[in-house]
Amino acid sequence: RCVTNTIGQYVEFNITIENESYTVTLNREAKENGEILMGEIIDFLSILNKKKRQQQLWIDRIWQWADQFDIEEYNVPRNKDDLLNLTHLSFQSISYFGRDKFTELPKEFGNLTKLKFLELGSIVHEEIVLNNLIKLPKEIGNLIELSHLHIQVNNLNELPKEIGNLKQLKDLKLGCNHLTGLPKEIGNLKQLEILTMWQNEITELPPEIGNLKQLKGFSIWGNPLVEFPQEIVNLTELKKIELGKNLRLSKLQKEWIKKLQHDGCDVSYT
């Protein structure tokens, strides 16, 4: 429905599309000369309206998920604008005693593109705060502003390759899961400074680990490592590496570790 009003040198169009109202104001001369076609404007507004409906659908999905697991509003805001502008999301302050723990994060969280800090499990003041995540959605890779991702103390056995899209990531904590390896795309995280993977089931590291030239802290104790890539020596900014005390290193691998020490890296065996 389109209602036209003429106001001096301007023409105002009040357009209603599926119960959504829009107002478009045009110069009368522009309209008369056909420089702007109302058909094109209505098509544009129809597309805009469709996007708004789709946005509301995924927002509703997040809210339904939060309600299902009794997640408080200060963790997941039930206000649309607050949710869309969310930069920090942490579940460490939630008490799960007597509650069901969520096993998956809805893919719709990948639409919260302003997120910079996401914490889905942690250890705070020696208290284990855990969820029961068994997988991450590939849409996690859409959170390109993310700088901190903490997923400690869950049940993950793999990471999606889309983790490599998080080019701004500086802090990645994966300790105490069931990871058996890392995707090669981990090497895309060129800004990464902290990587912790203690107490997993990792048997080997991809050679792409050597691409993490900004890495300063690396913890991998408590894993059944049998393969240690030579590319580890490329981590020239590394200040501390924590290895497992039962790690069996070959003579050549010991030389690689010595080189890290020579470059100023503190090596400890936990």
Side-chain angles (χ1 to χ4, degrees):
R1 186 169 63 90
C2 180
V3 178
T4 306
N5 297 314
T6 301
I7 307 173
Q9 295 298 315
Y10 298 93
V11 179
E12 184 178 88
F13 298 88
N14 296 307
I15 304 168
T16 302
I17 303 174
E18 297 185 16
N19 297 321
E20 290 284 346
S21 297
Y22 305 91
T23 299
V24 178
T25 302
L26 300 179
N27 181 284
R28 288 181 65 186
E29 182 179 353
K31 174 183 177 294
E32 292 168 359
N33 291 337
E35 294 176 7
I36 300 179
L37 302 177
M38 284 308 299
E40 293 180 359
I41 293 175
I42 291 174
D43 287 344
F44 169 76
L45 292 176
S46 296
I47 293 172
L48 179 63
N49 196 53
K50 181 179 179 180
K51 288 183 177 180
K52 288 176 66 176
R53 293 198 314 274
Q54 291 174 337
Q55 182 188 74
Q56 191 59 53
L57 285 174
W58 67 254
I59 287 175
D60 287 342
R61 173 68 186 97
I62 290 177
W63 287 343
Q64 290 167 5
W65 174 84
D67 289 342
Q68 178 184 352
F69 292 100
D70 296 325
I71 295 173
E72 303 291 345
E73 186 165 351
Y74 61 78
N75 291 103
V76 177
R78 303 310 198 268
N79 175 277
K80 177 179 176 180
D81 289 337
D82 290 344
L83 184 66
L84 293 176
N85 290 300
L86 199 63
T87 59
H88 285 62
L89 179 56
S90 173
F91 295 99
Q92 72 168 29
S93 60
I94 298 176
S95 172
Y96 283 105
F97 182 75
R99 300 184 183 183
D100 292 332
K101 301 179 180 71
F102 54 82
T103 59
E104 293 187 16
L105 195 68
K107 65 180 182 180
E108 287 80 5
F109 271 87
N111 293 310
L112 302 179
T113 52
K114 292 188 178 182
L115 274 179
K116 296 181 182 297
F117 184 101
L118 179 57
E119 188 167 47
L120 299 168
S122 188
I123 296 180
V124 183
H125 303 305
E126 298 184 355
E127 178 183 353
I128 295 178
V129 182
L130 69 160
N131 294 304
N132 194 29
L133 279 175
I134 58 175
K135 66 181 297 187
L136 285 177
K138 65 180 182 180
E139 287 78 8
I140 196 82
N142 296 338
L143 305 179
I144 57 175
E145 296 297 320
L146 211 59
S147 60
H148 294 71
L149 178 57
H150 298 178
I151 329 174
Q152 300 176 121
V153 200
N154 277 281
N155 283 313
L156 296 174
N157 54 36
E158 64 177 354
L159 294 177
K161 65 179 182 179
E162 287 77 9
I163 199 87
N165 296 341
L166 307 181
K167 304 294 178 61
Q168 301 301 315
L169 203 60
K170 292 186 175 183
D171 183 3
L172 178 58
K173 294 182 177 177
L174 305 167
C176 201
N177 278 281
H178 299 288
L179 298 173
T180 57
L182 296 175
K184 65 180 182 180
E185 287 78 10
I186 198 79
N188 296 339
L189 308 181
K190 303 295 178 60
Q191 301 300 316
L192 198 63
E193 297 179 1
I194 302 294
L195 177 58
T196 63
M197 303 183 298
W198 44 267
Q199 288 190 349
N200 275 278
E201 299 168 20
I202 296 171
T203 57
E204 61 180 324
L205 297 174
E208 288 79 9
I209 203 81
N211 296 340
L212 307 180
K213 301 295 179 62
Q214 299 301 316
L215 200 64
K216 295 177 173 58
F218 187 22
S219 177
I220 195 169
W221 59 270
N223 284 276
L225 272 179
V226 295
E227 197 69 34
F228 214 64
Q230 181 177 359
E231 286 78 5
I232 197 79
V233 300
N234 295 336
L235 305 180
T236 55
E237 294 297 317
L238 202 58
K239 302 302 179 187
K240 184 175 181 60
I241 183 170
E242 297 177 333
L243 302 171
K245 60 183 178 181
N246 296 322
L247 181 62
R248 298 289 185 263
L249 295 176
S250 67
K251 183 178 180 180
L252 184 58
Q253 290 171 334
K254 289 178 180 178
E255 291 298 320
W256 300 340
I257 297 300
K258 286 182 180 178
K259 184 179 185 308
L260 290 177
Q261 290 177 303
H262 182 267
D263 291 339
C265 179
D266 176 29
V267 180
S268 65
Y269 295 87
T270 302

